[in-house]
């Protein structure tokens, strides 16, 4: 069965979006605002993937290319908060503390950020300073404080964009798996799981880590991989003021390294990095970077055990929820945005790794601009760019973060 469009192609475009994560929902809201007729096809539920189960920190990425997307995403979030009562974001950052017991390493890191990103107002906090600003932390940790980090409930932004998109006239079809329907060299719409087809003028694949399989079932295009992260939602005796991260820059700031390390590990207690953010009275503790979906229960125990080194009170905190989801980790750490080479009217926006909440709205705006024929994508983010292999990037890859 083919659902036919009622109007000719010349009027406002009809866009089918595959995926109801932060990218798909933000893109739907922006397209609907511009008068496009939009349908989101989501195989499970809004925010079912990483967009609903992340750490909840809107943060300045350390890769300068991704950092370009952050201020604009923050502006979008402030506008989203104005438009949706259910979403709120602070006017000023809570601050990110990168914790390290080696005060000398922290001083070097502060110096690095003073050169690389002075707008983050890097500051050295001695263990005494840290004890003053975050009394729940164990003693002995110095910190590099950066003026970034806006904690929000992990699923809040995605849910709010979905609400806004619906309010602007978009349609949302949940529990519906979709794939681009391509004839010749053009996308005609989407084929649904039951074999039926829906016509569209343009198709946007925003399916997170599932994107390569949706765009190219032949498997030739595989620049995005899954790195599975477990998070534990807790009720601490007192919520934290800052976003906290264990500083292990040499490994975690290179997603390819973190992924390779996890893939090579036969350790039943896989590597993890401490990170935590409090939104309201719920704190979300992370996380792992695993190549296959883990059993979350034992990993959650491990995360809590390791986190007690930083926050002893975690041992007694009530566990609200344990969650697992996959980051859409691209091989060079940057998303793929824009037209898919060789197929007219097919677009992609995916591969944000650990930065999708922080940079998603700006990415969605970029891809919406290309769908409407108005914007160009920066070369480093184009979907048709040549990609380096994870191996090549292991030593030189752009920075990631510990969420
Ligand atoms: C543990 C963890 C912590 C994180 N913390 C942060 C953080 O603090 N800050 C930050 O900026 N980022 C963070 N991230 C990263 C961020 O969550 C992701 O980059 C972002 O959510 C990806 O959004 P997306 O829309 O591209 O993909 P997803 O959220 O994966 O959404 C894709 C959607 O597509 C759907 N789908 C897939 N295939 C189909 C199909 N064929 N048909 C229909 N629907 C389909 C899926 O069900 C899913 O809902 C974290 C990630 C993890 C795993």
């Amino acid at each position: 069965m083919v659902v036919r469009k009622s109007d000719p192609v010349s009027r406002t475009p009809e866009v089918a979006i595959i995926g109801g994560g932060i990218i798909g929902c933000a893109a739907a809201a922006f397209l609907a605002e511009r008068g496009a007729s939009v349908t989101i096809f989501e195989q499970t539920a809004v925010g079912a993937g990483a967009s609903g189960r992340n750490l909840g920190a809107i943060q300045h990425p350390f890769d300068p290319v991704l950092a370009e997307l952050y201020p604009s995403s923050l502006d979008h979030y402030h506008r989203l908060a104005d438009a949706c009562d259910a979403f709120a974001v602070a006017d000023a950052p809570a601050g990110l503390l990168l914790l390290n017991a080696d005060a000398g390493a922290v001083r070097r890191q502060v110096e690095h950020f003073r050169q690389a990103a002075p707008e983050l107002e890097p500051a050295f906090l001695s263990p005494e300073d840290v004890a003053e600003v975050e009394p729940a932390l164990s003693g002995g940790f110095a910190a590099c404080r950066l003026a970034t980090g806006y904690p929000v409930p992990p699923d809040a932004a995605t849910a709010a964009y979905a609400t806004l998109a619906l309010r602007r006239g978009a349609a949302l079809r949940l529990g519906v798996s979709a794939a681009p329907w391509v004839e010749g060299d053009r996308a005609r719409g989407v084929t649904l799981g039951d074999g039926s087809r829906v016509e569209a003028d343009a198709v946007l694949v925003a399916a997170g880590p599932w994107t390569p399989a949706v765009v190219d079932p032949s498997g030739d295009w595989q620049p995005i991989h899954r790195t599975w992260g477990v998070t534990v939602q807790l009720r601490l005796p007192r919520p934290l003021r800052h976003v906290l991260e264990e500083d292990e820059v040499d490994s975690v700031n290179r997603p390819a390294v973190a992924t390779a390390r996890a893939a090579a590990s036969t350790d039943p207690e896989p590597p993890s990095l401490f990170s935590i953010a409090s939104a309201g009275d719920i704190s979300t503790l992370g996380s792992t970077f695993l190549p296959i979906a883990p059993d979350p229960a034992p990993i959650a125990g491990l995360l809590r055990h390791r986190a007690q080194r930083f926050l002893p009170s975690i041992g007694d905190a009530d566990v609200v929820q344990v969650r697992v989801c996959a980051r859409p980790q691209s091989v060079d750490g940057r998303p793929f945005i824009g037209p898919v080479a060789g197929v007219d009217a097919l677009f992609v926006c995916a591969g944000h790794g650990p930065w999708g909440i922080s940079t998603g709205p700006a990415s969605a705006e970029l891809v919406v601009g290309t769908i409407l024929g108005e914007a160009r994508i920066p070369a480093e983010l184009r979907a048709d760019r040549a990609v380096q292999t994870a191996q090549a990037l292991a030593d030189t890859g752009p920075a990631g973060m510990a969420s």
Side-chain angles (χ1 to χ4, degrees), residues 19 22-23 42-43 50-51 54-55 57 178 208 327 353-358 403:
I22 185 72
I23 305 296
E42 162 55 50
Q43 64 186 3
S51 297
N54 53 80
L55 203 77
R327 295 174 196 80
W355 296 108
I357 301 301
S358 306
S403 59

Side-chain angles (χ1 to χ4, degrees), residues 48 70 98 102 115 162 170 205 207 236 248 272 309 312:
Y70 164 73
L98 296 170
D102 179 349
Q115 305 296 324
V205 183
L236 294 175
E248 209 194 306
S272 64
R309 185 174 146 235

Side-chain angles (χ1 to χ4, degrees), residues 67-77 79 358 361-363 365:
E68 295 277 316
L69 302 171
Y70 164 73
S72 154
S73 293
L74 199 51
D75 282 351
H76 277 296
Y77 283 132
R79 286 202 286 279
S358 306
S363 301
E365 184 184 34

Side-chain angles (χ1 to χ4, degrees), residues 166-215:
L166 289 174
R167 204 192 291 159
R168 291 174 175 166
L172 178 56
R173 295 189 58 182
L174 298 179
V176 177
S177 165
W181 161 26
V182 178
E183 270 180 18
D185 57 3
R186 186 176 179 83
R188 300 278 166 200
V190 289
T191 304
L192 308 185
D194 63 3
S196 64
R197 286 173 162 172
V198 180
E199 288 188 345
D201 301 313
V203 177
L204 168 60
V205 183
W210 297 272
T211 297
V214 174
V215 168

